[in-house]
């Protein structure tokens, strides 16, 4: 499960810094480096929770860097070996944020391009909380995941 949480963390890390409590869609608050604090994921089968896992990060070594040009860098050191990924991001309406990860090589393996859309729940000078939901139905069984990622400036 730790590996799954780390993948989820890698798929969607965000960054930022700013001043005061403002509208979560304010792009200036996202600029900078956010450190991962905690990641909680709950899995569901046919809308019934089947598993929940929380992973807490104890170092400042896992972060996402958000740049003013819409580019970013994710760095994850909780895996062996550590790795980094490039991404672009865009904020939309209703506090939505879209992350685009291009096809790239990560730890020697080719990763296909993918997109992940989250919702910014909290964005202050020192805290960022983003949620992600995903679902798929296979053979009449609906599998879904709800993830909450917590970040801080330190």
């Amino acid at each position: 499960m730790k590996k799954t949480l780390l993948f989820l963390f890698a798929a969607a890390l965000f960054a930022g810094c700013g001043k005061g409590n403002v509208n979560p869609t304010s792009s200036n608050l996202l600029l900078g480096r956010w450190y991962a604090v905690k990641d909680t994921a709950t899995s569901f089968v046919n809308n019934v929770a089947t598993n929940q896992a929380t992973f807490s990060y104890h170092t400042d070594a896992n972060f996402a860097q958000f740049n003013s040009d819409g580019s970013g860098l994710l760095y994850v050191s909780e895996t062996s070996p550590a790795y980094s990924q490039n991404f672009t991001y865009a904020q939309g309406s209703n506090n939505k944020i879209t992350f685009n990860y291009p096809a790239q090589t990560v730890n020697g393996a080719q990763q296909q391009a993918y997109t992940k859309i989250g919702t910014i729940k909290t964005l202050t000078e020192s805290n960022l909380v983003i949620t992600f939901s995903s679902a798929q139905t296979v053979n009449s069984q609906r599998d879904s995941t709800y993830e909450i990622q917590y970040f801080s400036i330190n």
Side-chain angles (χ1 to χ4, degrees):
M1 186 63 173
K2 180 178 177 181
K3 189 171 187 170
T4 300
L5 284 174
L6 288 172
F7 174 77
L8 292 171
F9 168 77
L13 271 175
F14 314 6
C17 65
K19 298 186 180 188
N21 293 332
V22 300
N23 183 337
T25 60
S26 173
S27 60
N28 287 338
L29 283 180
L30 285 177
L31 299 179
R33 184 175 287 185
W34 285 98
Y35 294 94
V37 175
K38 183 171 71 170
D39 190 351
T40 300
T42 305
S43 299
F44 298 86
V45 174
N46 294 328
N47 297 321
V48 175
T50 57
N51 189 25
Q52 182 174 35
T54 298
F55 188 78
S56 297
Y57 301 94
H58 301 290
T59 68
D60 291 341
N62 300 291
F63 65 84
Q65 176 71 41
F66 286 79
N67 303 317
S68 61
D69 64 357
S71 68
L73 174 71
L74 166 69
Y75 183 78
V76 179
S77 69
E78 296 286 333
T79 61
S80 181
Y83 67 92
S84 62
Q85 288 180 283
N86 295 309
F87 63 88
T88 60
Y89 69 96
Q91 290 179 263
S93 60
N94 299 320
N95 300 332
K96 297 294 183 193
I97 185 164
T98 301
F99 291 87
N100 293 299
Y101 289 83
Q104 57 191 303
T105 302
V106 177
N107 283 346
Q110 183 62 33
Q111 175 183 291
Q112 293 183 1
Y114 65 96
T115 298
K116 199 162 185 186
I117 300 172
T119 302
I120 298 172
K121 295 294 187 180
T122 302
L123 178 56
T124 68
E125 165 180 299
S126 60
N127 293 295
L128 172 62
V129 177
I130 302 172
T131 61
F132 296 91
S133 294
S134 63
Q136 66 179 4
T137 301
V138 177
N139 297 327
S140 300
Q141 178 175 307
R142 181 172 172 78
D143 295 327
S144 59
T145 302
Y146 183 74
E147 179 183 13
I148 308 170
Q149 295 184 338
Y150 302 84
F151 302 89
S152 72
I153 295 293
N154 281 8

